[in-house]
Amino acid sequence: MNKAEILIIDDEPQIRKLLRISLESNDYKVNQASSGKEGLIIAANHPPELILLDIGLPDKSGHEILKELREWYNKPIIILSVQDNENDIIGALDNGATDYITKPFRTGELMARIRSAIRRTQNIDLNETIIICNDLQIDLVSRVVKKDDEILKLTSTEYNLLTLFARNEGKVLTHQYILKEIWGVGYQTETQYLRVFVAQLRKKIEENPNNPLHIITESGVGYRFS
Amino acid sequence: MNKAEILIIDDEPQIRKLLRISLESNDYKVNQASSGKEGLIIAANHPPELILLDIGLPDKSGHEILKELREWYNKPIIILSVQDNENDIIGALDNGATDYITKPFRTGELMARIRSAIRRTQNIDLNETIIICNDLQIDLVSRVVKKDDEILKLTSTEYNLLTLFARNEGKVLTHQYILKEIWGVGYQTETQYLRVFVAQLRKKIEENPNNPLHIITESGVGYRFS
DNA sequence: CATAGTTTTTATTGTTTGTTCACGAAACAT
DNA sequence: ATGTTTCGTGAACAAACAATAAAAACTATG
């Protein structure tokens, strides 16, 4: 139910369709953009867990899109390309691409590279893919959260927020940073969203939501998870 | 200037030589192992910044070596292979390989993939800036202050003031300077603010606020932190 | 196209923090 | 010593910030 989202930026409809089918059958939620510009807008308003970027786009070169994304987006970007040109590959990797795959690609390999990339940004240690904090248990691979061995029903925003907190245990995260990571770059003033979702999360994960032990408010700054 | 260490695990001397020359000309320091067993020992005794692992080794399969390494080693491991077998690639990536490159590879691309892999791990553990003064512990990255391992609850002005003091340990800071740094230009005559907040801070961080040991008053001038 | 689930707005109440003032204590100068 | 300046501290108030419920808008899905 809590699927990780992937954004495809590619102008060829057949490729998009092929990718979407493969990704959805691997339990990802897929968003699509048919041009670089559209891709930038979707990514900014709804940051995905990973971006698949075609390098040969009609409006802007994929290299430019990559650079613009990397100004604020720090999750994996995998480049797809028909070109097997070494300088192209080197340039993309040096501009922050996570991986570079040449078409035609093998779907199984692509899926494995996607898993690998996501695993690394979430710094999931192959051995311990489960974060445990007292009564809470967060499985980052199957995306399931348990409290006292009871499965919690979380919406995807709630889940994303909780894992952002859990992956930064002990650190104070500012409102702005959280909003940027969960809602996108244009939402950094919408602190009210955050209050609403923190309240919802606390109702689900805290023994006593009036006296929260997991999500601590740092007034005027942000929140801290412990 | 670079000098990150890279460990090559490969049984073919020609490949090792080729890799070593390329890597050294890119300013890496190179260690080599000609078998999986030897590779494990060298990696354990002298953990490198990145490992290049040939999958076709004589003693143990590279896949086994990869698994054993991943039990404790969490920096990048790039797989080199003559095999362009999809299941091999998927297996390696799912077992924690950072990347999988098939021979014959292009040196420029390999170097770019190495840079990319190292860049990503360095961003992750760039953390940890902790100032320690006796019983006080100020973590500037997490924005958390501890006294005798107890987390102190500080407002943001209190925190800013404390970090300003801590960053200038031993120096006398004038009222004017502190006011300018914390409240901004225009507040440089509001010494009363400072008195109030210094008193509040001392209540929280000093054993005995009447006889302060951390924030020392320099009458007529300002304060000094030690 | 209806409905359940989710996100965004709006409104209200409660809490925390910053600012100001008052007054006694300490430091300083003569 | 005595008066003068500088400090420390508690309390009161206003402003900023936070929690929460509930309604409205939106989305996904059959």
Side-chain angles (χ1 to χ4, degrees):
Chain A
M1 50 166 278
N2 268 319
K3 297 175 182 173
E5 292 187 21
I6 292 182
L7 172 60
I8 303 169
I9 307 179
D10 198 317
D11 62 318
E12 293 167 77
Q14 319 91 289
I15 302 269
R16 285 210 305 274
K17 192 172 179 187
L18 167 66
L19 286 170
R20 187 167 54 73
I21 291 168
S22 312
L23 289 166
E24 283 177 349
S25 70
N26 280 274
D27 258 341
Y28 296 105
K29 187 168 179 308
V30 177
N31 279 326
Q32 308 184 14
S34 54
S35 72
K37 220 172 177 179
E38 195 191 347
L40 283 170
I41 293 168
I42 294 178
N45 286 310
H46 199 81
E49 201 55 49
L50 180 145
I51 294 175
L52 288 174
L53 173 62
D54 180 20
I55 214 76
L57 292 166
D59 52 345
K60 279 188 180 183
S61 131
H63 290 287
E64 281 178 57
I65 304 293
L66 174 61
K67 276 191 202 169
E68 288 190 41
L69 281 169
R70 272 291 179 248
E71 285 171 17
W72 60 273
Y73 184 80
N74 45 29
K75 288 179 174 161
I77 300 176
I78 296 181
I79 305 293
L80 303 176
S81 170
V82 281
Q83 292 211 37
D84 192 15
N85 173 313
E86 189 176 14
N87 285 331
D88 229 51
I89 299 179
I90 295 173
L93 290 170
D94 283 341
N95 277 322
T98 312
D99 206 338
Y100 190 109
I101 298 170
T102 48
K103 300 182 197 172
F105 46 80
R106 287 169 294 206
T107 334
E109 180 182 346
L110 175 62
M111 292 303 140
R113 286 185 181 271
I114 288 173
R115 281 195 294 278
S116 164
I118 289 180
R119 198 176 51 226
R120 265 175 287 139
T121 49
Q122 298 196 341
N123 45 26
I124 297 179
D125 207 317
L126 271 182
N127 309 312
E128 41 179 316
T129 58
I130 298 179
I131 298 175
I132 296 177
C133 303
N134 292 327
D135 51 343
L136 273 187
Q137 204 177 310
I138 305 169
D139 188 326
L140 294 169
V141 175
S142 62
R143 300 171 69 92
V144 169
V145 180
K146 287 182 184 172
K147 182 190 165 197
D148 301 327
D149 293 324
E150 292 279 310
I151 291 181
L152 288 185
K153 195 167 174 306
L154 299 181
T155 71
S156 60
T157 311
E158 286 164 3
Y159 175 84
N160 290 336
L161 188 56
L162 178 60
T163 51
L164 180 65
F165 279 136
R167 294 204 311 268
N168 293 285
E169 189 190 336
K171 273 190 200 166
V172 175
L173 304 179
T174 64
H175 298 134
Q176 291 204 349
Y177 175 77
I178 301 170
L179 286 162
K180 191 188 83 190
E181 291 295 313
I182 306 293
W183 278 270
V185 274
Y187 289 78
Q188 297 180 24
T189 57
E190 303 285 349
T191 37
Q192 181 57 19
Y193 288 16
L194 202 43
R195 296 211 187 94
V196 172
F197 274 86
V198 165
Q200 283 173 7
L201 254 185
R202 293 213 260 229
K203 260 195 283 189
K204 295 185 181 181
I205 68 173
E206 302 279 2
E207 285 303 328
N208 178 7
N210 300 328
N211 177 30
L213 300 174
H214 282 120
I215 305 178
I216 314 288
T217 304
E218 297 282 345
S219 193
V221 185
Y223 295 92
R224 179 168 50 84
F225 188 80
S226 73
Chain B
M1 44 165 269
N2 209 329
K3 291 289 175 196
E5 288 190 25
I6 293 182
L7 171 61
I8 304 168
I9 308 179
D10 198 316
D11 62 318
E12 293 167 77
Q14 319 93 290
I15 300 270
R16 284 210 305 275
K17 192 172 180 186
L18 167 66
L19 285 170
R20 188 168 52 74
I21 290 168
S22 311
L23 289 167
E24 283 178 348
S25 71
N26 279 275
D27 263 339
Y28 296 105
K29 190 170 177 308
V30 178
N31 279 325
Q32 306 184 17
S34 55
S35 73
K37 220 172 177 176
E38 195 191 348
L40 283 170
I41 293 168
I42 294 178
N45 288 322
H46 198 75
E49 202 55 44
L50 180 146
I51 294 175
L52 288 174
L53 173 62
D54 181 20
I55 214 75
L57 291 166
D59 52 346
K60 282 188 178 184
S61 130
H63 290 287
E64 282 178 56
I65 304 293
L66 173 61
K67 275 191 203 169
E68 289 189 43
L69 281 170
R70 270 294 179 244
E71 284 171 16
W72 60 274
Y73 183 81
N74 43 29
K75 288 182 173 161
I77 299 176
I78 295 181
I79 304 293
L80 302 176
S81 170
V82 281
Q83 294 211 33
D84 192 15
N85 174 314
E86 188 176 15
N87 285 331
D88 230 50
I89 299 178
I90 295 173
L93 290 170
D94 282 341
N95 278 321
T98 311
D99 207 338
Y100 190 110
I101 298 171
T102 49
K103 301 180 199 173
F105 45 80
R106 289 168 293 206
T107 335
E109 179 182 346
L110 176 61
M111 292 304 141
R113 286 184 182 272
I114 288 173
R115 281 195 296 278
S116 164
I118 289 179
R119 176 165 16 94
R120 266 174 285 140
T121 50
Q122 279 181 345
N123 286 343
I124 289 171
D125 46 38
L126 190 143
N127 307 325
E128 300 316 307
T129 322
I130 299 180
I131 299 174
I132 297 177
C133 304
N134 291 328
D135 51 344
L136 272 187
Q137 203 177 310
I138 306 170
D139 188 328
L140 295 173
V141 175
S142 300
R143 202 198 166 281
V144 168
V145 180
K146 288 181 182 171
K147 182 190 165 196
D148 301 326
D149 291 325
E150 290 282 309
I151 292 181
L152 290 185
K153 194 171 174 303
L154 299 182
T155 72
S156 54
T157 316
E158 287 163 4
Y159 176 82
N160 292 337
L161 188 55
L162 177 59
T163 53
L164 179 65
F165 280 136
R167 286 200 311 265
N168 295 285
E169 190 190 336
K171 277 189 211 163
V172 176
L173 304 178
T174 65
H175 298 136
Q176 290 203 351
Y177 176 76
I178 300 170
L179 285 161
K180 195 187 77 193
E181 290 295 313
I182 306 294
W183 280 270
V185 277
Y187 288 78
Q188 298 177 21
T189 56
E190 303 283 349
T191 38
Q192 179 58 19
Y193 285 17
L194 206 41
R195 295 206 191 94
V196 172
F197 275 88
V198 166
Q200 283 174 7
L201 250 186
R202 293 214 262 229
K203 258 195 287 189
K204 294 184 181 180
I205 68 172
E206 301 281 2
E207 285 304 328
N208 178 7
N210 300 329
N211 177 29
L213 300 174
H214 282 121
I215 305 178
I216 315 287
T217 305
E218 297 285 343
S219 195
V221 186
Y223 296 92
R224 182 167 49 85
F225 187 80
S226 72

